[in-house]
Amino acid sequence: MSRNGSVLRHIDWLTVCMFLAIALFGWINIYGASYTYEQTGIFDFSNRAGKQFIWLLGGLTLGGVIMLLDHKMYDMLAYLFYAIMILLLLITPLLAHNVKGSYSWINLGPIAFQPAEFAKCLTALAVAKYMSHYGYRLRTWRDLLIPLALIGIPMFIIMVLQQETGSALVFLSFLLPFYRQGMSGLVLLAGVLAVAVFIVVIKFSILPVAIFLVVLFAILIWRTWRINRIYRWALVVMFMVYMAFSAMCNFAFTKVLQPHQRTRIEVLLGMKNDPTGAGYNVNQARIAIGSGRFFGKGYLQGTQTKLRFVPEQDTDFIFCTVGEEWGFFGSTLLLLLYTAFILRLIYIAERQRDTFSQIYCYSVASIFLFHLTINIGMVLGLLPVIGIPLPFFSYGGSSMWGFCLLLFIALRLDAARVEKWH
């Protein structure tokens, strides 16, 4: 009994309070997004708000169980959890039905769940386990091979076998914990430049190659007599890498991406105008958010929301309801709350005394940051629509429990940090 009481004393209650504030605000907005004038109360379990309340209670129960378990279990059994997760991900396409082109949902009677939502947490445990073993240092690219494999395997299964691009891309968020553990910032810079080159190549086709050739030629003419042999070879290698990556971008865009994914990117980059097709969701989202102005139309008063102009308005596009009914003021408060929540997770990660807990907590903070950035960017039309939920806010039992699993394991490890020193 004293041990359980110790856990309760040492839990980071500020983080729990911020989680509850986000989840409860999300719950009432799910009711607002799905509300009709004939609908019953918010606790009616036949509608989505009532079901979300059950998911939230279930998430809190899951969190309570996690806090009562021995913290050493997460380190000791990390690889076992990971192996079970990989097996489940491989089985999922065999059991799942086609849901909007994806095979990622398993039906268990009246309940459907998405294993990919839990894969993020178990992958974070496995990566933290490997990178925390004695003598491991992130010095060269060879030190990244195993961690990248641990991340790449579930990412490949989810993207290729389950055809769920959004959930797969979340695994890119693990680059931030790698950076904190000593990975060169040049890797992150290379990633940003790769995205920029991809956009330029897709939108302007051969133009970037021509620009690069002109710039390279000018440099060689201007400074030929000053450039030594090493720099000449470096320029040649850089040019070859650039050409190879440009060719890969074109191949990936035309041959790898699905037609609807290509259309979404083309609409985002202004290459195609499709207001009634691929661009419909984003256009309606902008209208809904803009119509809220500064203070919003009022709770349950959003006309765009009530008339169902925005598809998926209680899941991936739930932020539209906030923008329309609570306005710029309410939207800003929500984003500030999320920012405080993520900064708190980073603070928790930084104060850990063992490497396993630190890497895991940084992974959790990175995953939440990735979800927040992509979801809000998607709704505002700044990023392609790829179907990523807003943490603790969007409707869904799998996402709620997956995020609760991520969060409460981090809180349990943080509580253990205090227990060890008392």
Side-chain angles (χ1 to χ4, degrees):
M1 183 67 185
S2 60
R3 177 178 172 276
N4 294 344
S6 176
V7 172
L8 292 177
R9 286 198 305 272
H10 298 146
I11 190 172
D12 193 282
W13 287 106
L14 177 58
T15 304
V16 174
C17 289
M18 287 190 284
F19 148 66
L20 287 174
I22 294 171
L24 291 174
F25 190 40
W27 172 52
I28 65 174
N29 276 278
I30 289 171
Y31 181 72
S34 58
Y35 175 80
T36 61
Y37 295 108
E38 299 82 17
Q39 190 167 313
T40 53
I42 193 171
F43 290 101
D44 181 4
F45 300 132
S46 64
N47 62 45
R48 288 202 161 190
K51 293 176 182 176
Q52 183 72 0
F53 187 71
I54 295 177
W55 306 141
L56 176 56
L57 292 180
L60 290 172
T61 303
L62 175 63
V65 172
I66 289 172
M67 298 305 296
L68 295 178
L69 294 175
D70 189 346
H71 70 277
K72 297 178 182 177
M73 180 190 72
Y74 305 111
D75 188 346
M76 294 173 55
L77 301 179
Y79 290 149
L80 177 61
F81 291 152
Y82 180 83
I84 295 173
M85 178 266 296
I86 292 296
L87 180 61
L88 182 58
L89 290 178
L90 288 171
I91 294 174
T92 298
L94 303 177
L95 303 177
H97 298 288
N98 189 327
V99 179
K100 298 179 181 178
S102 171
Y103 296 87
S104 59
W105 291 88
I106 298 178
N107 292 323
L108 298 176
I111 299 175
F113 80 101
Q114 189 177 23
E117 289 294 339
F118 303 93
K120 294 172 285 191
C121 173
L122 303 183
T123 301
L125 287 174
V127 170
K129 172 73 172 179
Y130 181 81
M131 296 182 67
S132 63
H133 74 251
Y134 180 76
Y136 178 83
R137 292 291 185 274
L138 195 56
R139 292 183 291 263
T140 67
W141 63 270
R142 294 182 181 86
D143 300 321
L144 274 174
L145 289 180
I146 300 300
L148 287 177
L150 292 171
I151 295 168
I153 292 172
M155 184 177 180
F156 176 83
I157 296 173
I158 294 170
M159 178 176 289
V160 177
L161 300 184
Q162 299 185 10
Q163 299 181 26
E164 181 64 47
T165 306
S167 298
L169 291 178
V170 175
F171 287 83
L172 296 176
S173 61
F174 282 94
L175 289 177
L176 290 179
F178 291 167
Y179 174 73
R180 180 59 184 85
Q181 293 303 311
M183 183 183 72
S184 173
L186 293 176
V187 177
L188 292 178
L189 178 60
V192 174
L193 292 177
V195 173
V197 170
F198 177 83
I199 293 173
V200 173
V201 169
I202 295 307
K203 186 166 185 177
F204 299 105
S205 185
I206 200 67
L207 181 60
V209 178
I211 294 174
F212 184 87
L213 287 173
V214 171
V215 173
L216 179 62
F217 182 76
I219 293 175
L220 291 175
I221 294 298
W222 180 44
R223 301 190 62 185
T224 297
W225 64 278
R226 296 180 182 177
I227 297 178
N228 60 35
R229 183 176 300 176
I230 295 177
Y231 287 127
R232 289 197 194 101
W233 279 110
L235 287 171
V236 171
V237 170
M238 184 172 64
F239 173 72
M240 294 175 65
V241 170
Y242 182 88
M243 291 292 291
F245 184 73
S246 298
M248 288 172 58
C249 290
N250 278 312
F251 177 80
F253 185 72
T254 57
K255 303 297 183 182
V256 178
L257 294 181
Q258 298 295 320
H260 69 279
Q261 294 171 334
R262 290 198 299 270
T263 303
R264 288 173 179 175
I265 294 176
E266 288 171 344
V267 170
L268 177 69
L269 298 179
M271 301 165 60
K272 180 182 291 186
N273 186 22
D274 191 13
T276 60
Y280 179 80
N281 287 23
V282 174
N283 288 335
Q284 294 300 324
R286 287 172 172 173
I287 293 172
I289 294 174
S291 66
R293 299 191 177 182
F294 194 82
F295 288 109
K297 298 177 180 177
Y299 185 53
L300 304 182
Q301 303 301 314
T303 54
Q304 296 293 117
T305 298
K306 298 299 168 292
L307 296 177
R308 300 290 192 273
F309 280 108
V310 183
E312 311 295 339
Q313 60 188 15
D314 54 3
T315 53
D316 298 339
F317 283 82
I318 185 68
F319 189 70
C320 297
T321 302
V322 180
E324 183 178 21
E325 298 191 345
W326 303 90
F328 177 81
F329 181 76
S331 301
T332 301
L333 287 181
L334 176 62
L335 293 179
L336 289 175
L337 180 58
Y338 267 118
T339 302
F341 176 74
I342 293 171
L343 289 176
R344 185 66 183 180
L345 289 176
I346 294 174
Y347 171 73
I348 289 175
E350 194 61 36
R351 71 185 182 187
Q352 299 308 302
R353 294 188 174 99
D354 63 277
T355 307
F356 174 81
S357 299
Q358 186 178 70
I359 294 175
Y360 176 79
C361 291
Y362 264 113
S363 299
V364 172
S366 299
I367 290 170
F368 279 110
L369 177 61
F370 189 91
H371 269 271
L372 176 66
T373 303
I374 299 299
N375 182 273
I376 300 301
M378 173 186 73
V379 173
L380 297 179
L382 302 176
L383 295 171
V385 178
I386 56 176
I388 287 183
L390 196 57
F392 302 127
F393 212 87
S394 297
Y395 170 79
S398 293
S399 62
M400 175 63 75
W401 289 7
F403 288 128
C404 284
L405 191 65
L406 276 166
L407 175 63
F408 281 98
I409 289 179
L411 293 177
R412 180 65 188 93
L413 294 174
D414 182 61
R417 169 192 61 86
V418 184
E419 291 173 26
K420 294 174 185 176
W421 292 85
H422 281 72

